[in-house]
Amino acid sequence: MRISKVAAVVAFAAILSACTGTAGEKGTPTPAPQTGSSSGSDSKLPERPASLKVDSVDTCKLLTADQMKQVETLASRPENLELVEGKESASCHYSNAGRYTYTIGAVTHKGVDYWLQGGNFTTKLIKVADYGAVKIELSGGSGFDCSVAVDVAEGEQLMVSYIPTTTGEKDQSVLCGKAEKAAGFALATLKTLK
């Protein structure tokens, strides 16, 4: 199904507004179905230093108490979310009293290369610690959120999103910096769980 970028942004805004709120918030924005081309997908992901399977990971244990303090989150709540089309993934919302949310998900049905196939989002290859990753931003949706998908195992990814809800943060580089920082923390913890 093809949709225009404008329709995707409207749908994304509706999803985001459904995600805002306090303790009863539900869901996290999921990028629109693939429609266009992505940018930054010219290169290939670097070889991962080790396989870190996420199929049995408790995502609410991927940020330690100290790491939660460093990203200024107060609570965590597990939820299954469709972060990547096709299947729900075990996820955890780490929130700061409704001001913003980090969502960390263990995607086990599609690897990071999913994001490099194009869609209504832009991508950029980055590194999180020593692992290849993809920074994902909704096309035309600057200031809503930023996601980072880390290549942790064949056909699996550790996905981290930062979503401001009431903070007024709109600088995309700040949003992505926060997502990358949390992804680094979650990856460091994941390494100790195996």
Side-chain angles (χ1 to χ4, degrees):
M1 173 182 193
R2 294 192 169 276
I3 60 176
S4 71
K5 287 182 182 182
V6 174
V9 170
V10 171
F12 183 79
I15 291 168
L16 182 62
S17 67
C19 292
T20 60
T22 56
E25 72 183 26
K26 297 269 184 199
T28 188
T30 301
Q34 297 178 0
T35 58
S37 62
S38 63
S39 66
S41 60
D42 311 329
S43 304
K44 292 187 176 189
L45 285 164
E47 189 173 328
R48 72 184 75 83
S51 182
L52 300 170
K53 308 247 334 139
V54 293
D55 55 348
S56 61
V57 170
D58 180 345
T59 54
C60 285
K61 291 185 177 177
L62 287 175
L63 290 185
T64 66
D66 183 55
Q67 291 166 337
M68 285 178 66
K69 285 179 188 175
Q70 290 183 59
V71 295
E72 299 178 22
T73 55
L74 306 172
S76 62
R77 175 177 48 88
E79 189 167 348
N80 288 327
L81 300 170
E82 190 173 346
L83 300 173
V84 174
E85 70 178 342
K87 184 179 175 185
E88 288 190 343
S89 300
S91 304
C92 188
H93 292 290
Y94 293 86
S95 64
N96 183 315
R99 291 179 47 231
Y100 54 82
T101 300
Y102 289 91
T103 299
I104 299 179
V107 179
T108 59
H109 65 288
K110 292 188 181 177
V112 169
D113 57 339
Y114 165 83
W115 299 106
L116 301 176
Q117 297 171 9
N120 196 25
F121 45 83
T122 58
T123 59
K124 181 179 180 185
L125 289 175
I126 60 172
K127 273 193 148 184
V128 174
D130 45 355
Y131 282 76
V134 178
K135 180 171 62 173
I136 307 149
E137 300 174 41
L138 181 66
S139 296
S142 182
F144 287 117
D145 79 336
C146 186
S147 298
V148 173
V150 183
D151 179 34
V152 291
E154 187 65 35
E156 296 186 4
Q157 58 182 289
L158 178 65
M159 190 165 179
V160 179
S161 299
Y162 176 75
I163 307 158
T165 53
T166 63
T167 60
E169 293 175 305
K170 296 296 178 193
D171 184 331
Q172 196 66 33
S173 64
V174 171
L175 303 182
C176 290
K178 290 183 176 191
E180 289 178 44
K181 180 177 182 177
F185 286 156
L187 181 61
T189 303
L190 179 62
K191 290 177 182 179
T192 68
L193 299 177
K194 299 297 175 180

